Amino acid sequence: MRKIDKDAGSSNVRVWRIAGTAFLIAAVACTVVACAGKAKQEEAEKEYESLAELTTTPVEDTPEPSSEESVESSEEPEESSPTKELEDMGITIPEKQVDFDNLQETVNKDIYAWIYIPDTKVDYPVLQHDTDNAYYLDYNLDGTRGYPGCIYTENYNAKDFTDPVTVIYGHNMKDGTMFAGLHRYSDSEYMKEHPYIYMYTPDGLLVYEIFTAHETSDEHILYAHNWFEEEWVMEEYIEDIRDVRVMGSVQREDVEVEADDRIVTLSTCVSNPNNRFVVQGVLLNGSEE
């Protein structure tokens, strides 16, 4: 009969106990980190919600003018509204105001625009880091690292939206926030019901009409097309966009896009890490040099 080594058996038990304890500690630590990350994400999302609420201007009842005031006002020349061009197109102007000075002073100095698509969750400040183009992919408004990050552009794009193509990035969050909702544009009816991208800047409101949504490769759009410095490059790019016929792509043929137009491209992730989903709109106003 083989002799049992009691000391060795006891040693093995101790090893397994230590290993089990270490695993439990590691599991608890991972849970704590995950919970902390989730809490940080929820806090960041609540901050975005609070900021969005601050930009909403309540509609106030305007008192009816007296008959005398009506006569006087009718004699004065009508002043042109900053958004008159849009109003003449029949585009509804949202009741929204963005105080960029306050946002830059109290929230984050890199905020330079605000993107809004009515009746969606896209209602966020747009940021651009001076030197690190991937910074806001991983960092929140308050400088903490983690999700959901920020809606941002790279410093290859000007902050006044005068480039032929401006690319704006945002995470595809599982809870539907940030740019996750862009995927709904793979439905043509949804695109018709949500046709405009409103871009607020310190210089005024820009409105883009969405003309396409589709999955594409993860190529760097600006770099791959030589920053669109030549008009023929822009012409070819628009033709390529119009030729996209992959599953889930939507084209609005009734929206005209020319080589001298300005395009905004909203980009987010898909399940395939080598691809991206983009929603693109053409600028309707403020395009004069």
Side-chain angles (χ1 to χ4, degrees), residues 23-235:
F23 177 80
L24 181 60
I25 292 173
V28 172
C30 289
T31 301
V32 170
V33 171
C35 289
K38 182 65 175 177
K40 187 184 297 181
Q41 177 182 327
E42 291 177 352
E43 183 178 346
E45 291 173 350
K46 285 180 180 178
E47 182 176 11
Y48 281 125
E49 291 176 3
S50 298
L51 291 177
E53 289 176 1
L54 290 176
T55 66
T56 302
T57 305
V59 180
E60 297 181 357
D61 293 332
T62 304
E64 292 291 334
S66 64
S67 56
E68 293 181 1
E69 290 175 338
S70 299
V71 172
E72 291 176 0
S73 61
S74 64
E75 295 174 352
E76 295 177 358
E78 181 181 352
E79 296 182 4
S80 61
S81 166
T83 55
K84 190 175 188 304
E85 184 180 357
L86 296 169
E87 292 169 347
D88 290 344
M89 297 178 193
I91 298 173
T92 302
I93 308 302
E95 294 292 333
K96 195 175 191 66
Q97 292 183 351
V98 182
D99 186 343
F100 286 101
D101 289 337
N102 183 51
L103 288 174
Q104 291 167 355
E105 290 176 8
T106 63
V107 180
N108 190 306
K109 65 179 182 61
D110 290 336
I111 296 173
Y112 75 95
W114 190 286
I115 184 170
Y116 176 55
I117 303 179
D119 192 33
T120 77
K121 291 188 177 182
V122 179
D123 193 3
Y124 297 105
V126 182
L127 294 83
Q128 185 181 110
H129 196 276
D130 292 336
T131 58
D132 186 351
N133 280 326
Y135 182 82
Y136 287 115
L137 179 69
D138 301 314
Y139 287 87
N140 298 306
L141 284 173
D142 61 359
T144 58
R145 186 182 180 90
Y147 290 122
C150 296
I151 303 300
Y152 70 96
T153 61
E154 298 174 321
N155 57 26
Y156 305 120
N157 273 134
K159 295 181 181 180
D160 58 4
F161 296 92
T162 55
D163 292 321
V165 178
T166 297
V167 184
I168 305 179
Y169 303 92
H171 279 300
N172 176 19
M173 300 299 293
K174 291 181 179 179
D175 62 0
T177 59
M178 305 307 282
F179 272 179
L182 295 184
H183 289 275
R184 300 188 69 180
Y185 278 96
S186 59
D187 180 342
S188 59
E189 287 303 314
Y190 185 86
M191 183 179 290
K192 289 179 181 179
E193 293 168 0
H194 305 80
Y196 302 118
I197 300 168
Y198 294 81
M199 194 72 64
Y200 293 82
T201 77
D203 295 325
L205 173 63
L206 301 175
V207 177
Y208 298 81
E209 187 166 15
I210 296 170
F211 64 92
T212 183
H214 59 271
E215 190 168 326
T216 184
S217 73
D218 65 348
E219 71 174 12
H220 193 283
I221 293 175
L222 301 179
Y223 180 78
H225 297 86
N226 197 30
W227 320 106
F228 298 97
E229 292 180 352
E230 302 290 339
E231 186 170 307
W232 67 267
V233 177
M234 188 68 164
E235 290 176 351

